[in-house]
Amino acid sequence: MTADWVFHSGRVFDGWRLHPSATAVAVRAGRIIAVGTDDEVRAAAGTAAEAVNLHGRLLSPGFTDAHVHTVTAGIERLGCDLSQTSGASALVAKVSEYAAGTHKAWIAGGGWYMHDFPGGTPTKELLDAVAPDRPVYLINRDHHGAWVNSVALRMAGIDAGTPDPADGRVERDEKGNPTGTLHEGAMDLVNRLIPALTQSEMDQGLLEGQQYLHGLGVTGWQEAILGDYAGYGDASASYRRLLESGQLTGRATGSMWVPRTTTTENIAELVEEFGERRRINAAAGFPTVSAKIMVDGVPENQTAAMLEPYLRPCSCAGIAGGPEPDRGLTYLPKDVLLQASAALDAAGFDLHMHVIGDRAVRDGLDAVEHARRHNGHGGSRSDRRHHMAHIQIVHPTDIPRFAALEVTANAQALWACNDQQMTELTVPVLGRERSGWQYPFRSLVSSGAALAMGSDWPVSTPDPWQAIHVAVSRREPDAPSVEPLVPAESLSLQTALAAYTSGSAWLNRQEEAGRIEPGLLADIAVMNTDPFELDPADLHIVGADLTMVGGQVVHDRLGQRITV
C-alpha cells in the first residue's frame, strides 16, 4: 500500500485532544488511513508520494468556521476595503484613494470600526470632503450600521422629516437632520439604490473569500446569511456555479435568511420557499439546512435586546418586539419568533440565531423550547442542531438552558476582550453587573452545552488563532497588560481548539470532517509551530503552513507541490 502523503515527526491534535502518542498521519485517496507514531504510520502506509517532516509542529483537523460571510467579505476585500485601516483620518484617506482609482457610480465597501469615531457614528461631512459628487455607502465592521455621504442621503430622500424604519434608526443632530450614520434597517433606505452585483462579481467574491480562509487553515464554513441583507443578494447561485466548475474547494454549508418582514401570516409560505431552495442547493452539492434568524442588534448602538434598560438614554424608535426604546430592539415580535421557529424546526431546519443581548438570548431559548414542545420532542433528543451565535450577554439563569434544550453555543471568541469598542461604547451602557455576564464560554461548557466557533468575518478577522488567543486569555492580541474581560470565563487551549474543529464541523453536519481519525476525510491544517508549547500570550502568532481539503493541498507555505 502506498500513501499519497505522510506527515511525520510532529504532534497531532485529533479534534478533541492533543493525541498522547501520535506523531504522524498518512493520507490516501482523500482520506486519513493511519494515525500513530512515525514507525506505526510508516508500517501502515508504506512508501509515500509526498513526505512532510513536521519538525515538531502541530497537525490538526482543518478549522470549520461556524458563522462567516465569505462572499460578502470577499467582495469587500475587492472593493473599498477599510478593514485593515484604523483612525478617522486614515479611513477618510483610504476612501479618497479608492474614489480616485475607480470610475464606479457608487463608492461602496466597508470594514470601518466604530471606536474610530466619537460615539461610534461618523459623519457625512468627512465623506463629502473626499467624494462630493458620487454616493458613498460604507458598511461598518459589524454590519449593523453604514456610513454615507450627503449625495447618498439626497438620493434616498432622507432628511429631517424621514421617519425611522421599524427595524432601525437614522442618526440625527439636535435639529433632526441626518448626520451620515444609518443603524440596522435604516441602511436599507440607501443600499436599495445601489446597483445589484453581477454574477461575476459574486463569484469573484466567493473565490477571494475562499482563498483567504484556506490561507488561515480553514477547510469548511457556514455561510451565515443566504438572502438579501444590507445590500447584498443571495449567494446560493455562486456556490452552485463554483461547485459545478470545480472551483469550490471548501466544505461550505449555508443558512437561509429569515426576513425581518416575516409575519404569522407568511410563515407557511416562507418555510415552503426555504424547502424548495434547500432542494435546489442540495442537488448541486451545497447543503443549506440552517435558517438564520437575527433576533436583535448590538449594544454599541443600543439595539441589542436587553432585559433591563441601558444606562444611557437613546433616541431609538420603532421597536418591533416591545415599546421600550431603552431596552433595545427585537426584529420579530415574540409570537412570530416562536411560530417561525416551530415551523422551521418541523420542516427539518436547524435554527441559527443571532443573539447579543440577554433578552434576545432568553427569547431565542424560549423559541427553541416552544419548537421542541410543539413538534413532539420536548423531552427527548432531537436530530436538530440549533445554535445561537454571538451570545454576548447571557443572564446567569439562562446558562443551563443551552444544554437542557440541546442548543449549541456558537461563539465568536475574538470579541471577548477589553478592546476600545468594549471599554468606550459597550461597558458604559451595560454597567458593571451585566458587563460581567459577557461571553460566558466556560460557564456554558461547564453546564454541558456544546460549543462551536466562528469569526463572523468580515465583522472581524477570520483567523482562528486570533479568536483562540482571546478565548484562552480574554485579552486582545498584542495587549498583554490590558485587564482581561471576565477572566473566569476563559477556556483551555484544548477546549477552544476542539470547538473550532470538531465542534463546528459537527454543527455543520460534516460528519466525516473535523477529526483526525483513520477513515475520515483528510481535511488537515499544519501549523507553523506547536501552540501547546507556547505561552498563552503568544497564541495569536500561530498560523497555518499547509491546508488540505480531501487530500488536496489548497494552501502551502511548506514548499510542497500544490495540487489544487
Side-chain angles (χ1 to χ4, degrees):
M1 179 170 63
T2 301
D4 297 325
W5 292 83
V6 169
F7 299 89
H8 62 90
S9 305
R11 302 187 80 188
V12 177
F13 181 79
D14 65 11
W16 298 107
R17 58 172 184 161
L18 185 64
H19 198 288
S21 61
T23 58
V25 172
V27 172
R28 187 181 66 187
R31 292 186 178 270
I32 297 165
I33 60 170
V35 179
T37 66
D38 286 8
D39 290 342
E40 289 169 342
V41 168
R42 287 192 182 104
T47 305
E50 298 278 1
V52 178
N53 189 332
L54 296 173
H55 294 290
R57 288 171 296 192
L58 184 73
L59 180 149
S60 84
F63 294 105
T64 296
D65 192 318
H67 184 108
V68 67
H69 307 278
T70 305
V71 178
T72 300
I75 290 168
E76 290 184 7
R77 279 176 60 84
L78 297 171
C80 185
D81 181 16
L82 304 177
S83 63
Q84 303 302 312
T85 307
S86 61
S89 60
L91 287 164
V92 172
K94 186 73 172 180
V95 176
S96 178
E97 178 187 358
Y98 179 82
T102 181
H103 297 293
K104 290 183 177 180
W106 280 75
I107 298 168
W112 55 274
Y113 205 22
M114 291 179 70
H115 77 68
D116 283 326
F117 301 95
T121 56
T123 63
K124 61 183 185 294
E125 286 79 11
L126 293 172
L127 295 176
D128 292 346
V130 296
D133 302 320
R134 282 181 289 173
V136 181
Y137 176 86
L138 301 167
I139 198 164
N140 73 5
R141 195 171 299 187
D142 65 20
H143 282 218
H144 289 268
W147 179 20
V148 299
N149 68 346
S150 295
V151 176
L153 290 169
R154 285 197 300 272
M155 290 177 64
I158 302 173
D159 56 26
T162 303
D164 288 337
D167 60 347
R169 186 176 86 253
V170 176
E171 191 72 25
R172 304 174 189 273
D173 62 20
E174 65 278 0
K175 296 181 180 180
N177 296 308
T179 61
T181 301
L182 307 174
H183 302 285
E184 305 292 346
M187 295 186 291
D188 295 339
L189 299 175
V190 170
N191 65 42
R192 61 185 173 82
L193 303 175
I194 301 174
L197 292 162
T198 65
Q199 286 188 4
S200 176
E201 289 171 326
M202 295 284 283
D203 293 354
Q204 288 303 309
L206 177 49
L207 289 170
E208 175 71 18
Q210 173 178 258
Q211 181 182 24
Y212 194 71
L213 289 174
H214 284 336
L216 298 169
V218 177
T219 55
W221 62 85
Q222 183 169 158
E223 184 74 44
I225 291 180
L226 294 174
D228 295 329
Y229 176 71
Y232 294 98
D234 186 354
S236 295
S238 287
Y239 277 98
R240 296 195 301 265
R241 283 192 295 270
L242 266 60
L243 277 162
E244 183 178 9
S245 67
Q247 294 175 276
L248 187 70
T249 50
R251 299 194 192 281
T253 65
S255 189
M256 284 183 268
W257 171 246
V258 176
R260 295 169 178 170
T261 54
T262 301
T263 66
T264 56
E265 288 75 25
N266 64 19
I267 288 173
E269 180 182 354
L270 174 78
V271 174
E272 182 178 1
E273 177 202 344
F274 275 21
E276 178 62 11
R277 289 167 60 190
R278 175 175 59 186
R279 183 193 66 78
I280 293 170
N281 289 339
F286 179 41
T288 51
V289 299
S290 181
K292 170 70 175 292
I293 301 175
M294 190 174 287
V295 179
D296 68 339
V298 294
E300 294 83 11
N301 63 13
Q302 299 188 39
T303 58
M306 303 302 299
L307 292 168
E308 299 296 331
Y310 287 100
L311 299 187
R312 291 180 180 175
C314 175
S315 59
C316 311
I319 307 303
E324 301 177 65
D326 56 354
R327 293 198 306 138
L329 62 80
T330 52
Y331 290 119
L332 298 176
K334 184 73 174 283
D335 62 328
V336 177
L337 175 63
L338 295 179
Q339 291 183 45
S341 297
L344 289 162
D345 174 272
F349 285 96
D350 299 332
L351 300 175
H352 180 160
M353 296 187 184
H354 163 120
V355 293
I356 294 281
D358 54 4
R359 178 160 60 102
V361 172
R362 183 165 295 176
D363 284 356
L365 291 168
D366 289 348
V368 173
E369 184 172 19
H370 173 75
R372 288 178 60 81
R373 289 177 176 172
H374 185 272
N375 295 325
H377 42 249
S380 61
R381 291 196 62 81
S382 167
D383 63 352
R384 303 291 177 267
R385 300 186 187 181
H386 301 323
H387 48 290
M388 290 187 172
H390 313 326
I391 48 172
Q392 180 169 350
I393 307 145
V394 184
H395 194 283
T397 61
D398 286 320
I399 285 175
R401 298 181 69 195
F402 281 78
L405 295 170
E406 301 170 18
V407 174
T408 297
N410 186 342
Q412 284 61 61
L414 184 67
W415 308 342
C417 62
N418 278 312
D419 60 8
Q420 285 183 282
Q421 186 161 299
M422 175 66 70
T423 59
E424 296 176 9
L425 299 178
T426 302
V427 171
V429 300
L430 293 181
R432 181 183 298 272
E433 182 179 35
R434 289 183 298 189
S435 293
W437 298 347
Q438 293 191 93
Y439 304 109
F441 303 149
R442 180 179 289 186
S443 293
L444 286 163
V445 172
S446 297
S447 71
L451 183 66
M453 283 195 184
S455 66
D456 206 10
W457 185 47
V459 174
S460 50
T461 175
D463 183 350
W465 286 105
Q466 304 298 304
I468 290 171
H469 173 103
V470 177
V472 173
S473 70
R474 305 287 288 199
R475 287 186 174 96
E476 192 176 13
D478 283 326
S481 62
V482 174
E483 181 181 355
L485 177 71
V486 199
E489 294 295 350
S490 65
L491 297 174
S492 69
L493 173 56
Q494 178 169 284
T495 299
L497 189 52
Y500 229 130
T501 53
S502 61
S504 293
W506 176 86
L507 188 67
N508 273 13
R509 297 182 177 270
Q510 296 291 350
E511 314 293 356
E512 295 187 290
R515 305 186 308 284
I516 302 297
E517 297 177 15
L520 298 187
L521 293 166
D523 293 357
I524 289 171
V526 174
M527 308 310 163
N528 58 6
T529 187
D530 176 8
F532 288 92
E533 294 296 321
L534 292 179
D535 185 306
D538 294 328
L539 286 173
H540 64 281
I541 70 172
V542 181
D545 276 343
L546 183 143
T547 309
M548 174 179 285
V549 182
Q552 296 192 336
V553 176
V554 293
H555 162 72
D556 179 33
R557 282 204 295 255
L558 292 175
Q560 300 295 328
R561 175 172 54 87
I562 300 291
T563 57
V564 171

